[in-house]
Amino acid sequence: MSRISRARMNEEAAYLEVTAIPRALAAARDGERAAADAAVSERERSVAAACARTGRADAADYRSFVGTLRAGEVPDGMDLR
């Protein structure tokens, strides 16, 4: 396996902070809004609530990845080839 430069790790961390985390949180907010919408079916609200949970979980994972990348390590499950 090739060695990943510190600069590349910092680029990935910056992408997560600037793009991926805000997108995941926006998706969570959209899901929360839809889950609270009485005009849609119970099934749609249930799916929207699950999407909101997924968005929040993804944002938390991305924050963890940022910390690991900034520490100079590649997070488990992240492919930086």
Side-chain angles (χ1 to χ4, degrees):
M1 177 183 234
S2 64
R3 181 165 159 70
I4 305 301
S5 72
R6 191 62 178 248
R8 173 72 191 282
M9 288 182 195
N10 287 333
E11 287 174 17
E12 292 295 329
Y15 169 81
L16 290 169
E17 290 173 322
V18 171
T19 304
I21 292 170
R23 284 183 183 171
L25 293 173
R29 286 189 300 273
D30 287 345
E32 290 162 355
R33 276 193 293 275
D37 186 351
V40 299
S41 72
E42 181 62 34
R43 174 73 177 138
E44 289 172 295
R45 288 192 303 270
S46 175
V47 169
C51 290
R53 287 190 300 274
T54 299
R56 286 190 301 273
D58 287 349
D61 287 344
Y62 298 153
R63 284 186 194 104
S64 174
F65 290 172
V66 167
T68 302
L69 288 164
R70 297 271 189 225
E73 299 177 19
V74 176
D76 290 339
M78 183 176 256
D79 185 4
L80 296 179
R81 283 185 266 165

